[in-house]
Amino acid sequence: MKNTLRVERAILRVTQAELAEKVGVSRQAINSIETGKYIPSTILAIKLARVFDKSVEDIFIIEPQD
């Protein structure tokens, strides 16, 4: 699953550590989400979307399956 988390963080000038603190996870978790190694839970996806005042669909892009 692709995401725009890194772009959204850059727009708000928020570090991975700052974002992690806001949503209650580790900086490593944020890094893993940004790099596509980890897909967040629904609750975490909602928390992240709220930080950026966006919808979950604006941040997380589901790629079509072949």
Side-chain angles (χ1 to χ4, degrees), residues 5-6 11 13 20-21 32-33 36-39 44-45 60-62:
L5 210 53
R6 186 171 291 163
I11 291 168
R13 296 188 172 118
E21 188 174 325
S32 292
I33 294 167
K37 295 177 185 170
Y38 175 72
I39 297 173
L44 180 53
F60 297 96
I61 300 99
I62 298 173

Side-chain angles (χ1 to χ4, degrees), residues 14-28 30:
V14 179
T15 67
Q16 287 182 342
E18 291 167 336
L19 179 57
E21 188 174 325
K22 288 178 186 256
V23 296
V25 298
S26 69
R27 183 203 59 78
Q28 292 86 347
I30 297 299

Side-chain angles (χ1 to χ4, degrees), residues 1 25 33 38-48 56 60:
M1 177 183 314
V25 298
I33 294 167
Y38 175 72
I39 297 173
S41 68
T42 304
I43 302 276
L44 180 53
I46 292 168
K47 286 180 181 181
L48 289 165
V56 172
F60 297 96

